[in-house]
Amino acid sequence: MSLRFVLASASPARLKTLRGAGVEPEVIVSGVDEDHITAESPGELARLLATLKARAVVASLTEHATVLGCDSVLELDGVAYGKPGTPEIARERLRMMRGRSGVLHTGHCLIDTSAKQELRELASTTVHFADLTDDEIDAYVATGEPLVVAGSFTVDGLGGPFVTGVEGDYHNVVGLSLPLLRRMLAQVGIAWPELWKTTSEYKYDETVASTYDETRGGLTRAVAAAEAVDFLLPKGGRVLELAVGTGIVGAELVALGNLVHGVDLSPAMLQHARVRLPGHVLAADAATLPIADRRCDAVVAVWLLHLLNDSEPVIAEVARVLRTDGVFVTTTEKTDASRYADGRGPNDTRSQDSLAHLAATAARHGLFLDGVTAFNGPTRNTGESPVYPLVRFRRS
């Protein structure tokens, strides 16, 4: 089974740290209210918060995973300081910290549901702060950065010049100790290089999934796409949507009278799709569908093929699961549609969703072009709306 590695944190810095180390985690935010948790020491507070985050995410899962929860606090004079939240508090804290040293504690909790193990560790790093002037503090607070980070500072962002030295693990100050995480993973039987294998160029985590619809045209584009797809579909048949995403297009197809099932590789996207298509979505690779031969009346792929390095394995699977006379409906030439709308010329390289490529590849697998339509996308920065062509191939 492939490793499902989940980061139970909304921190962009932690996600960036993991990505920089070659790891692409799935992100699920825990929703733990940090403001009302107390502990006997700053270090124990960080460890407790990390544990609560990891446990909250594990409780929401329906499949096995390895979940990492993290939380950081700055200890100064024995007092724990988390996110200040307001400019006034951030300004006060930075004045108190300047020219001094503090200890940045990051709690780590790793839960492996397959091994039924929970590990709780703490990494602590001494941080030396510059003697900031009042003007520097005011300017830094005005950026907004210190309001949303533990201890009111960063070492990897705008606050970097204000940190004169670090004693210990630099990454721990950012929010996640990579050497500690490596040791914790080893204790549950996971070698660090295994995480590299989970990396995917188009991995949609919860950070992306939560804003996916609104950043890609929302319901307006989904309705336009669904109506165009429906125009090319046989009526009353069973439709399989590849890369169903959040299910926003699939739900509109259902509203138009279609029976829709969806598959996707992203658990984060599927969490949203399950709400729109309850009982009709599952995790699966479009190139290895868990469906018997000739079972589908139609297969739909909206904005998928242009993402692939090689679309032929997906097209071959489509041909396998389609019944005779079944249809495959897909967007085509998406890359060029976007380029034209931005006032640029055609792409010199052949995209995996180019019509010429699709027609030739589909023909090799018994699929032949027999229908076409189009729909408009949202207005772009040139004031023009891209036109997205849709094509239909029929199974011989």
Side-chain angles (χ1 to χ4, degrees):
M1 296 179 62
S2 60
L3 173 63
R4 182 184 181 189
F5 181 61
V6 177
L7 176 62
S9 171
S11 167
R14 293 190 181 105
L15 180 59
K16 182 179 179 181
T17 297
L18 286 169
R19 284 175 169 168
V23 178
E24 184 68 39
E26 175 186 346
V27 175
I28 302 179
V29 180
S30 67
V32 170
D33 185 358
E34 303 176 24
D35 295 334
H36 297 90
I37 307 298
T38 59
E40 61 185 19
S41 69
E44 285 306 310
L45 176 61
R47 183 155 40 192
L48 175 60
L49 287 169
T51 301
L52 293 175
K53 288 181 178 181
R55 288 177 178 176
V57 168
V58 167
S60 71
L61 300 178
T62 58
E63 301 168 350
H64 285 301
T66 303
V67 179
L68 174 67
C70 292
D71 198 90
S72 300
V73 299
L74 175 69
E75 180 180 356
L76 198 66
D77 297 329
V79 179
Y81 295 97
K83 302 178 183 71
T86 68
E88 294 74 22
I89 295 176
R91 192 174 292 110
E92 178 185 347
R93 290 185 184 175
L94 287 165
R95 287 173 179 168
M96 178 180 59
M97 292 157 52
R98 59 184 170 188
R100 303 181 62 190
S101 300
V103 179
L104 196 291
H105 300 287
T106 298
H108 298 65
C109 179
L110 187 73
I111 301 177
D112 188 90
T113 62
S114 297
K116 297 181 179 179
Q117 288 184 267
E118 178 182 287
L119 306 178
R120 298 179 298 276
E121 297 287 351
L122 180 69
S124 302
T125 305
T126 299
V127 183
H128 303 288
F129 300 106
D131 189 5
L132 281 71
T133 66
D134 287 345
D135 287 344
E136 286 176 321
I137 290 175
D138 290 342
Y140 185 36
V141 171
T143 69
E145 182 182 86
L147 277 63
V148 294
V149 290
S152 311
F153 79 99
T154 64
V155 71
D156 61 328
L158 297 176
F162 307 137
V163 175
T164 60
V166 170
E167 296 178 30
D169 181 3
Y170 165 87
H171 291 108
N172 186 60
V173 183
V174 178
L176 190 159
S177 173
L178 293 173
L180 176 58
L181 175 58
R182 172 181 166 274
R183 294 194 298 272
M184 294 174 76
L185 287 166
Q187 291 182 61
V188 297
I190 299 172
W192 181 262
E194 290 185 53
L195 295 185
W196 295 337
K197 300 175 186 177
T198 67
T199 301
S200 173
E201 185 178 358
Y202 295 100
K203 181 77 171 181
Y204 295 109
D205 55 34
E206 179 53 31
T207 303
V208 176
S210 62
T211 60
Y212 187 85
D213 294 339
E214 63 186 81
T215 58
R216 287 163 173 79
L219 186 60
T220 300
R221 188 171 82 152
V223 169
E227 290 177 347
V229 169
D230 182 68
F231 176 75
L232 296 176
L233 289 177
K235 302 308 175 186
R238 180 170 299 186
V239 180
L240 175 67
E241 184 180 0
L242 307 181
V244 69
T246 65
I248 190 170
V249 174
E252 294 304 315
L253 287 172
V254 171
L256 292 170
N258 300 284
L259 175 61
V260 179
H261 305 276
V263 299
D264 204 290
L265 273 177
S266 167
M269 297 289 260
L270 287 172
Q271 289 294 334
H272 295 264
R274 288 187 179 111
V275 176
R276 289 181 166 127
L277 301 168
H280 290 272
V281 297
L282 74 158
D285 189 331
T288 54
L289 294 169
I291 297 171
D293 295 354
R294 306 297 178 95
R295 293 298 178 90
C296 297
D297 298 300
V299 177
V300 172
V302 179
W303 301 301
L304 167 65
L305 300 183
H306 71 286
L307 298 175
L308 306 178
N309 292 323
D310 183 6
S311 59
E312 182 152 10
V314 171
I315 294 171
E317 274 293 270
V318 169
R320 181 183 67 78
V321 302
L322 277 178
R323 63 169 174 77
T324 300
D325 208 37
V327 301
F328 174 43
V329 177
T330 180
T331 46
T332 181
E333 309 285 7
K334 181 180 189 298
T335 301
D336 281 344
S338 298
R339 292 176 67 86
Y340 291 144
D342 284 336
R344 296 174 291 165
N347 197 343
D348 292 334
T349 60
R350 171 169 288 179
S351 172
Q352 289 297 302
D353 76 333
S354 74
L355 184 56
H357 174 74
L358 288 181
T361 305
R364 288 198 293 270
H365 297 280
L367 297 168
F368 299 96
L369 183 66
D370 82 337
V372 64
T373 188
F375 63 96
N376 289 330
T379 303
R380 302 180 70 85
N381 56 7
T382 61
E384 300 294 327
S385 296
V387 176
Y388 295 111
L390 272 171
V391 292
R392 180 178 66 197
F393 295 91
R394 191 172 297 276
R395 182 76 164 87
S396 61

